[in-house]
Amino acid sequence: MKTIILRTASAFLLPLLLLFSVFILLRGHYLPGGGFIGGLIASIAFILYSSANGQENTKNLLHIHPGFLMPVGLSIALISGLTSIFFKGKEFMTGVWFKDPLPVIGMVGTPLFFDIGVYLVVVGVTLTIIMTISETA
């Protein structure tokens, strides 16, 4: 179903949903949300765009294969966990925080970077699975 209404709506909803997914990602430390839910929302945005405009247009929009996001996200999550060992001498995955908060984000630390890694892994896995299934169908 590729109606003009769906194509037009998906063009407007894609940036809004991506912005909302980043909002959910950033508020995940203090309130419900985080990398997993934010990644699912971002994946839904791309799947909606793909169903309205076709998979080739979505691939051109992404510029990279979504499978590339998985090792990048895993690396970011691993590095955020190892930071406490190398810089503070504490256990793996202990939170390490910067001294000063950022104006919009608040306190920044390794949990945020772990969430960003989870976000990238979820987007990469979800889009890879959906695009592989839709190519064979």
Side-chain angles (χ1 to χ4, degrees):
M1 184 170 99
K2 294 182 181 180
T3 65
I4 191 157
I5 296 171
L6 184 59
R7 277 186 279 154
T8 305
S10 69
F12 287 110
L13 285 174
L14 179 67
L16 287 174
L17 285 170
L18 290 176
L19 185 65
F20 182 64
S21 74
V22 171
F23 170 74
I24 294 295
L25 167 69
L26 292 177
R27 82 187 276 263
H29 306 334
Y30 308 111
L31 299 168
F36 185 77
I37 300 301
L40 287 178
I41 293 170
S43 298
I44 288 169
F46 285 112
I47 291 167
L48 174 67
Y49 188 85
S50 177
S51 66
N53 298 301
Q55 190 167 352
E56 289 304 316
N57 289 336
T58 306
K59 285 182 180 180
N60 292 336
L61 183 68
L62 287 171
H63 297 295
I64 59 169
H65 190 275
F68 178 73
L69 296 174
M70 290 182 277
V72 171
L74 282 173
S75 300
I76 292 171
L78 179 65
I79 290 169
S80 73
L82 292 173
T83 302
S84 60
I85 295 173
F86 293 119
F87 292 110
K88 296 289 184 178
K90 296 184 179 181
E91 291 86 19
F92 180 68
M93 297 291 286
T94 301
V96 177
W97 302 91
F98 293 122
K99 293 179 183 177
D100 298 322
L102 294 178
V104 175
I105 298 173
M107 292 300 291
V108 176
T110 55
L112 175 63
F113 293 106
F114 181 79
D115 274 346
I116 291 171
V118 170
Y119 180 91
L120 293 175
V121 169
V122 169
V123 170
V125 167
T126 307
L127 290 181
T128 300
I129 290 171
I130 296 297
M131 287 185 173
T132 302
I133 289 172
S134 64
E135 282 178 358
T136 58

